[in-house]
């Protein structure tokens, strides 16, 4: 017995929507990575501790809990994206190591830090 009414059309719409969202997921993941880890040119700060405090708060990495560590890469996004295409060694679709060194800053939580500070 064939389905009648608007349900087949609704089902098709939901399937197409789910497919569309699945295709955009890598882009969202890439944008999230760039937003949380790329700072080019490097934001000016008097020292590394001030830099880390500024950047961790700017990106909300201290709101609900203090993220233990975060690395900021000081290179243009297209150069980093090229690592996954030609300029790196990939062990999985989401993990590629660059063949070229880039300037980075790694921030670590100070023991006793509280969210929001």
């Amino acid at each position: 017995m064939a389905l009648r009414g608007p349900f087949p059309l609704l089902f098709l719409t939901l399937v197409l929507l789910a497919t569309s969202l699945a295709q955009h997921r890598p882009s969202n993941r890439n944008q999230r990575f760039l937003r949380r880890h790329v700072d080019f040119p490097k934001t000016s700060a008097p020292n590394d501790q001030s830099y880390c405090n500024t950047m961790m708060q700017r990106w909300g990495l201290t709101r609900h809990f203090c993220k233990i560590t975060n690395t900021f890469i000081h290179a243009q996004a297209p150069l980093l994206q090229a690592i996954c295409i030609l300029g790196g060694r990939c062990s999985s679709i989401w993990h590629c190591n660059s063949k070229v060194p880039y300037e980075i800053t790694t921030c670590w939580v100070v023991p006793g830090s509280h969210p929001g500070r």
Side-chain angles (χ1 to χ4, degrees):
M1 181 173 158
L3 295 175
R4 295 183 184 185
F7 296 110
L9 183 57
L10 178 62
F11 179 72
L12 178 60
T13 302
L14 290 174
V15 168
L16 291 174
L17 178 63
T19 303
S20 174
L21 290 174
Q23 289 176 350
H24 291 292
R25 189 173 188 164
S27 176
N28 291 338
R29 190 173 188 153
N30 181 49
Q31 290 303 315
R32 183 177 177 204
F33 173 83
L34 294 175
R35 188 172 58 248
R36 289 188 173 195
H37 297 286
V38 176
D39 181 38
F40 182 83
K42 183 178 179 181
T43 300
S44 179
N47 56 49
D48 286 341
Q49 186 174 355
S50 295
Y51 173 82
C52 286
N53 289 341
T54 298
M55 296 304 290
M56 296 295 279
Q57 288 177 356
R58 179 181 292 173
W59 298 119
L61 302 174
T62 61
R63 281 193 192 129
H64 303 293
F65 65 93
C66 295
K67 188 172 180 192
I68 301 298
T69 183
N70 195 70
T71 300
F72 295 98
I73 306 166
H74 310 297
Q76 295 177 0
L79 294 175
L80 299 175
Q81 291 168 326
I83 292 170
C84 297
I85 299 169
L86 299 171
R89 289 179 216 95
C90 298
S91 59
S92 73
I93 191 168
W94 300 116
H95 185 251
C96 297
N97 293 317
S98 173
K99 295 177 185 175
V100 178
Y102 292 100
E103 182 184 351
I104 63 169
T105 301
T106 301
C107 301
W108 295 86
V109 69
V110 174
S113 295
H114 300 288
R117 291 194 245 159

